[in-house]
Amino acid sequence: ILNIIARGIIVEEEEEEEEEEEQLVVIRDITERKRAEQELKESEARYRALVRLGGQIGEAIVMLGDEGEREGVQVFSNDAWLRLTGYSAEELRDMSFFDLVAPKDREASLRRHRIKVRGESIPGLFEVTIIRKDGSEVPVELTSGWSTYRGKPVNVVYIRDITARKRAEAEAGEHAMRMEALHQVSQGLAGSLELGPLAELALLEALQALGLDAGIIRYLDDATQELAIIASQGFSVEDDREMRLMVGRLKIGEGLVGTAAQTGSPLIVENLAGDSRLRYPGLVRLGFNFAVYLPLRAKDRVVGVISGYSKRKNSLSPGDMEVITSLGGMVGIAMANARLFEQVIRASQEWRQTFDSMSEGVAVLSLDQTIIRANRTLAKLVGSTPKELVGRRCFEVIHGLESP
């Protein structure tokens, strides 16, 4: 098919006998022009379809062209890009794309654009931060490719908001850090069965895991039902001494510490100065205004409380609260075991003292009548020492016999 355009001109000639009219026709082949127009229409149709698809899947599309010395002029933007940036199409048309890119990403992004508009390829996805009209920052993932738009070379950029993904990645990272913190605490607690050193270690690990500046750990005295201070961190010697004198022991339900013990739930206080339950005002004088009170649980009972303090307001996420609750259980069980161990050691020492101080001769025998332990009185009666009697048969020592 040949596309032509014709233009006619009437030419008149005068003759002596008769007059004739002639028409001059100029014909030009416009096939190439028609093809170019059709290709342009098809190209724009494809772009419109692409733009609609991008909007439907939430992907922003922007075409960047260079106009003179201006690089990355936004010659076209779809609605998703307008929503993402907060600008109107008219405002974006007068701006370079790189005006919206955060300074830390701008140079690398501009360098990639220059390569793309030369028709070269850079495979892969890139993460940059976009600055919206309101000044807020949005992390995005983008890729781009060289094309033409209305007969001019452009860099077509496809952009996806990855805020939700970044938030999920951050939460996953924080969760991993929380689990590592709990692991470190558990490792530390497993290495000690002495209540004093264990309490100091538990308090230090808890403060580090929660990002707090100072703290106190108390254990419940079963005899008096009071919460007694057994360790502290982050206070001067003078402040620690004053605190122990004023609030060294608190009843269940008394003050913020007692409230946490009574309810068995973590207590967060964002304004210590304004809380009437505070029993030691010196904390406010020292600059502490944020506090966490963590009940220490062993099975179904509270055995103590960790009080942690900060001079700045801490933002605790649900994940942080999970760590706090887990810490309370881990430290509570470890301290209960340490207290039980101390009680066993104390009972053993008392038994030894009683055994050795008895006026009668006493020995502990195995099933085959071998002496396992003998007191001093028995050893004296048979003219020996308790150590020498261990391992000998009772019938041999007492009756001088070779068999029962």
Side-chain angles (χ1 to χ4, degrees):
I1 298 173
L2 183 64
N3 295 284
I4 62 173
I5 183 169
R7 182 179 301 163
I9 303 174
I10 297 175
V11 180
E12 296 184 357
E13 293 186 3
E14 294 184 1
E15 299 289 344
E16 293 181 354
E17 296 182 354
E18 61 179 297
E19 185 177 294
E20 294 184 359
E21 290 185 0
E22 296 181 356
Q23 186 173 20
L24 178 63
V25 179
V26 179
I27 300 174
R28 182 179 300 160
D29 185 355
I30 59 171
T31 301
E32 291 302 321
R33 192 180 81 185
K34 286 294 185 180
R35 184 181 296 116
E37 290 175 354
Q38 183 63 28
E39 289 177 354
L40 181 59
K41 289 180 181 179
E42 292 175 356
S43 176
E44 291 183 347
R46 285 196 299 271
Y47 277 127
R48 284 194 295 270
L50 187 61
V51 167
R52 284 196 298 271
L53 177 61
Q56 290 170 2
I57 65 175
E59 194 163 79
I61 300 174
V62 59
M63 298 180 188
L64 311 181
D66 293 345
E67 298 179 356
E69 295 183 355
R70 297 179 64 203
E71 295 181 289
V73 176
Q74 300 170 93
V75 297
F76 174 84
S77 306
N78 73 344
D79 290 342
W81 183 236
L82 305 184
R83 290 192 298 271
L84 182 61
T85 62
Y87 287 98
S88 67
E90 291 74 19
E91 289 173 320
L92 289 175
R93 182 64 181 81
D94 293 331
M95 299 173 64
S96 167
F97 172 80
F98 305 104
D99 292 336
L100 304 177
V101 178
K104 64 183 180 65
D105 302 321
R106 191 170 294 156
E107 183 177 348
S109 186
L110 181 56
R111 187 165 54 249
R112 288 193 296 269
H113 167 75
R114 289 168 177 168
I115 293 173
K116 290 293 181 70
V117 294
R118 290 200 301 264
E120 300 177 32
S121 175
I122 304 179
L125 297 170
F126 303 92
E127 292 185 8
V128 302
T129 299
I130 296 298
I131 303 175
R132 304 180 76 250
K133 186 176 181 178
D134 62 8
S136 60
E137 295 187 350
V138 182
V140 300
E141 183 179 72
L142 59 81
T143 187
S144 63
W146 179 89
S147 185
T148 59
Y149 179 69
R150 294 182 176 175
K152 295 182 179 181
V154 291
N155 182 17
V156 185
V157 186
Y158 305 90
I159 304 167
R160 182 179 296 274
D161 184 349
I162 56 173
T163 301
R165 191 181 79 192
K166 286 294 186 181
R167 185 182 300 116
E169 290 173 354
E171 290 174 356
E174 290 172 1
H175 178 75
M177 291 177 61
R178 289 193 293 267
M179 293 303 101
E180 177 61 22
L182 288 176
H183 175 70
Q184 293 296 330
V185 172
S186 66
Q187 291 290 98
L189 297 180
S192 177
L193 276 175
E194 295 182 48
L195 186 59
L198 185 142
E200 293 179 358
L201 175 63
L203 178 59
L204 179 62
E205 295 284 0
L207 294 179
Q208 289 178 346
L210 299 175
L212 300 173
D213 304 319
I216 303 165
I217 189 167
R218 297 171 182 262
Y219 199 78
L220 179 63
D221 186 333
D222 291 327
T224 63
Q225 286 297 291
E226 292 177 325
L227 294 157
I229 296 177
I230 53 175
S232 65
Q233 292 279 348
F235 299 99
S236 68
V237 174
E238 294 77 11
D239 291 327
D240 183 72
R241 184 184 301 112
E242 180 185 75
M243 188 164 48
R244 290 174 186 264
L245 286 172
M246 294 182 63
V247 289
R249 285 177 168 266
L250 293 172
K251 294 286 187 181
I252 298 290
E254 182 181 1
L256 292 164
V257 174
T259 300
Q262 188 174 54
T263 62
S265 300
L267 177 61
I268 312 298
V269 180
E270 297 184 351
N271 181 18
L272 279 174
D275 200 309
S276 60
R277 295 171 294 179
L278 181 65
R279 289 294 177 269
Y280 180 58
L283 290 170
V284 177
R285 172 179 55 79
L286 295 173
F288 297 114
N289 199 39
F290 179 88
V292 177
Y293 296 89
L294 173 60
L296 307 178
R297 303 181 67 91
K299 295 185 178 180
D300 295 328
R301 62 186 294 262
V302 173
V303 297
V305 176
I306 287 180
S307 310
Y309 306 102
S310 175
K311 295 182 179 181
R312 62 195 180 284
K313 181 179 177 180
N314 290 29
S315 178
L316 298 178
S317 66
D320 293 325
M321 296 304 296
E322 178 185 341
V323 170
I324 289 174
T325 303
S326 298
L327 272 175
M330 290 170 56
V331 175
I333 292 172
M335 291 185 63
N337 290 339
R339 174 59 64 89
L340 180 61
F341 179 74
E342 283 191 351
Q343 291 172 348
V344 170
I345 295 298
R346 189 180 303 113
S348 176
Q349 292 172 343
E350 291 173 354
W351 179 84
R352 289 194 190 95
Q353 290 173 357
T354 302
F355 184 83
D356 288 335
S357 63
M358 292 177 68
S359 57
E360 294 85 5
V362 181
V364 179
L365 308 179
S366 66
L367 292 177
D368 63 355
Q369 297 189 22
T370 299
I371 297 175
I372 299 173
R373 186 179 183 86
N375 69 352
R376 286 190 292 266
T377 301
L378 177 62
K380 185 176 181 180
L381 288 174
V382 297
S384 185
T385 65
K387 186 175 181 180
E388 291 174 342
L389 293 178
V390 174
R392 298 177 63 184
R393 298 293 183 89
C394 176
F395 52 79
E396 175 191 347
V397 173
I398 302 298
H399 304 289
L401 301 175
E402 294 183 357
S403 62

